[in-house]
Amino acid sequence: MFDIISVGDITLDVFLQLEEAKVQCTLNKRECELCINYADKLPVRTITEIPAVGNAANNAVGSARLGLKTAIYCIVGNDASGKSNREVLKQEKVALDYVVTDTARSNYSVVLMYQGERTILVYHEPRQYRLPKTKPTKWLYFTSISAGRNGLQGQILTRVKKEKIRLGFNPGTHQLKQGLKALRPIIAASELLIVNWQEAERLVGKQTGIKPLLGALKALGPSIVVITDGEKGAYAFDSTAHYSQATFPCTVVERTGAGDAFATGCIAALVQGKNLPEALRWGTANAYSVIQYIGARQGLLNQARMKKVLQKFKNVQPKRI
């Protein structure tokens, strides 16, 4: 039996460190724009290529490092990137049983880094998904896939209900574009729904504060709701209590994969029987480590390092709000 099977796309990330740009933000700094000169040649300080990343791959690798028996269902191209993706997953001890190769090209993302933040240009190759018959698993983690209504959501719903699998749902860009009506069934079936603040408002509209925002998402049916909010930390609600979890302080290199790291740590803790407050700390520790490196994979914690980070920040505990 697997502890968790990740379901979603896998990609090659190419990181470009910009030298010249401007950032413009609203007064509350929740909405910012990266501004570059139109029709200009822009100098790039560094370039870094990282295969086998993306929401599902980050979760699969992070889960395996934290001691979970892990597999991934994804589709790779029959090209150099596809082969690199497979090799990395194998090295990270993620089961390849459900990695499918097709004739299309592999997915590709360009990450523009500036002042510790990142803007991602994402290309998802159109895919035809068919959830394979898998070995039993305790959890499924469903996240970003390519555009189009291809039936994968319905296949997951059927599998989760039939086999009584716990579902973690972290919708990607194309899924969010479908709107709440399309996503409501998968949200309702989720044990854990995890989104950032902007995604939460996109689903249920702007609310008067964090507790109403958590409540609006919880009313859609998931057992646990978590909202991440960048450097401000994360918030959670499980019907019994609302929690606020501060970040662990560090020097930020760049934030790609922070949300995936948080979700991975949080679910890994729940799989291992931890309560929600402790799961928030696991997620925070994993994100703390990832943002100190370029890319979403290098900083993902293993069990020993997770224990050390949690001990280092033992005084940073979730607070009831």
Side-chain angles (χ1 to χ4, degrees):
M1 172 177 277
F2 288 108
D3 292 309
I4 189 166
I5 299 176
S6 304
V7 179
D9 281 351
I10 189 169
T11 187
L12 167 69
D13 277 356
V14 179
F15 290 80
L16 305 179
Q17 178 68 60
L18 299 180
E19 290 188 0
E20 299 176 3
K22 295 179 181 178
V23 177
Q24 296 183 355
C25 297
T26 57
L27 287 177
N28 63 14
K29 295 190 176 181
R30 291 199 184 280
E31 298 177 6
C32 296
E33 295 178 343
L34 175 68
C35 302
I36 57 179
N37 292 334
Y38 181 64
D40 200 357
K41 292 183 178 180
L42 303 174
V44 173
R45 187 178 305 158
T46 60
I47 180 170
T48 306
E49 293 189 4
I50 303 179
V53 287
N55 303 68
N58 297 339
N59 175 259
V61 170
S63 297
R65 289 190 184 183
L66 288 171
L68 303 186
K69 189 175 182 182
T70 307
I72 184 172
Y73 168 57
C74 63
I75 303 175
V76 300
N78 187 22
D79 53 17
S81 292
K83 294 175 183 176
S84 295
N85 291 340
R86 280 182 169 272
E87 186 58 33
V88 169
L89 293 173
K90 182 178 179 180
Q91 291 172 359
E92 294 285 352
K93 296 181 172 54
V94 176
L96 303 181
D97 307 48
Y98 316 119
V99 178
V100 177
T101 301
D102 68 8
T103 57
R105 65 181 297 170
S106 295
N107 298 326
Y108 190 90
S109 298
V110 175
V111 186
L112 306 178
M113 298 187 297
Y114 187 68
Q115 295 182 351
E117 271 294 359
R118 83 288 185 271
T119 300
I120 306 178
L121 310 179
V122 181
Y123 175 75
H124 287 264
E125 185 73 20
R127 306 285 188 194
Q128 291 297 320
Y129 303 93
R130 184 175 181 83
L131 188 66
K133 179 62 178 176
T134 66
K135 294 178 182 178
T137 183
K138 298 175 184 176
W139 281 76
L140 278 177
Y141 181 74
F142 183 36
T143 186
S144 180
I145 58 174
S146 66
R149 298 178 183 276
N150 46 51
L152 183 58
Q153 178 173 305
Q155 296 165 33
I156 288 174
L157 277 171
T158 299
R159 183 74 57 85
V160 165
K161 293 177 180 178
K162 181 179 179 181
E163 300 181 19
K164 295 181 171 55
I165 300 169
R166 293 183 173 182
L167 175 64
F169 184 41
N170 175 218
T173 302
H174 294 302
Q175 290 155 313
L176 288 166
K177 285 183 177 179
Q178 295 178 24
L180 179 57
K181 183 177 180 180
L183 295 179
R184 188 182 289 269
I186 197 83
I187 291 174
S190 298
E191 177 78 11
L192 172 67
L193 171 67
I194 182 165
V195 291
N196 64 34
W197 191 296
Q198 292 76 19
E199 292 165 344
E201 291 185 335
R202 187 168 180 175
L203 286 171
V204 297
K206 292 186 177 182
Q207 307 294 319
T208 56
I210 185 59
K211 291 177 75 171
L213 188 57
L214 287 165
L217 290 174
K218 184 71 174 67
L220 299 176
S223 299
I224 302 170
V225 174
V226 173
I227 297 175
T228 59
D229 194 19
E231 63 186 16
K232 295 181 181 179
Y235 309 91
F237 180 40
D238 65 354
S239 293
T240 61
H242 297 81
Y243 297 97
S244 171
Q245 171 66 58
T247 57
F248 297 164
C250 68
T251 299
V252 178
V253 174
E254 65 94 22
R255 297 185 183 278
T256 302
D260 296 334
F262 185 97
T264 297
C266 191
I267 291 178
L270 294 174
V271 171
Q272 296 182 41
K274 309 296 183 182
N275 60 22
L276 179 56
E278 186 65 7
L280 292 175
R281 281 179 33 83
W282 279 49
T284 301
N286 218 20
Y288 153 88
S289 180
V290 162
I291 62 177
Q292 296 180 68
Y293 300 88
I294 293 177
R297 186 174 69 247
Q298 186 174 352
L300 289 168
L301 297 174
N302 59 26
Q303 291 171 300
R305 290 176 61 206
M306 173 65 76
K307 186 176 181 179
K308 289 180 179 179
V309 173
L310 292 174
Q311 178 62 27
K312 179 179 180 179
F313 296 102
K314 61 182 179 181
N315 293 327
V316 186
Q317 297 285 338
K319 297 179 180 178
R320 290 200 175 202
I321 55 175

